[in-house]
């Protein structure tokens, strides 16, 4: 299970880098920080395009350049926090939003 979850995470990050061609600002739901650390090391995230890792908070999106990638739990509070950040960044003319397709397989971390 751990290797399958790691593969799904790394593949997702690689897909963003391949499609968008620049670095990633990874935003993690605070409830996922511990489980993600059991699946992959920070150095692995960096090797696959992650420039900086942030915790999901209400308010504006994390500062910096690069694409924002969110790994969150399917909870209303997390969805609201992401919505607030997307609304704040939509004022930026260069902002574009892509929603990922739900995976046919569900990996529990």
């Amino acid at each position: 299970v751990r290797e399958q979850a790691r593969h799904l995470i790394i593949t997702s990050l690689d897909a963003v880098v391949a499609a968008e061609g620049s670095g990633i600002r990874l935003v993690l739901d605070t409830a996922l920080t511990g489980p993600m650390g059991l699946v992959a090391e920070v150095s692995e995230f960096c090797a696959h395009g992650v420039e900086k890792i942030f915790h999901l908070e209400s308010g504006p999106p994390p500062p910096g350049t690069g694409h924002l990638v969110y790994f969150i739990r399917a909870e209303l509070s997390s969805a609201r926090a992401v919505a607030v950040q997307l609304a704040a960044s939509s004022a930026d003319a260069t902002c574009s939003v892509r929603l990922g397709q739900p995976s046919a397989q569900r990996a529990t971390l």
Side-chain angles (χ1 to χ4, degrees), residues 6 20-22 29-30 33 38 48 56 63 68 86-87 91-92 100:
R6 184 189 158 287
E20 305 298 336
S22 69
D29 188 320
T30 55
T33 303
L38 296 173
H48 292 274
L56 180 63
L68 284 168
L86 294 178
D92 181 1

Side-chain angles (χ1 to χ4, degrees), residues 1-10 39 107-109:
V1 174
R2 182 180 292 176
E3 187 56 34
Q4 182 182 17
R6 184 189 158 287
H7 176 75
L8 288 171
I9 292 166
I10 297 302
V39 173
T108 303
L109 301 179

Side-chain angles (χ1 to χ4, degrees), residues 3 7 12 20 25-26 31 37 41 44 52 57-58 60 68 77 80 82 84-85 89-90 98-99 101:
E3 187 56 34
H7 176 75
S12 297
E20 305 298 336
R25 290 176 287 158
L26 180 61
E41 299 289 327
E44 286 183 277
K52 187 132 178 144
E57 298 175 354
S58 292
L68 284 168
S77 61
R80 283 185 177 149
V82 171
V84 166
Q85 290 190 2
S89 65
S90 69
R98 286 189 180 179
L99 300 176
Q101 296 294 324

Side-chain angles (χ1 to χ4, degrees), residues 12-57:
S12 297
L13 295 173
D14 287 343
V16 171
V17 172
E20 305 298 336
S22 69
I24 295 171
R25 290 176 287 158
L26 180 61
V27 182
L28 295 176
D29 188 320
T30 55
L32 294 178
T33 303
M36 290 285 261
L38 296 173
V39 173
E41 299 289 327
V42 172
S43 60
E44 286 183 277
F45 292 135
C46 294
H48 292 274
V50 174
E51 293 176 352
K52 187 132 178 144
I53 299 173
F54 300 90
H55 285 117
L56 180 63
E57 298 175 354

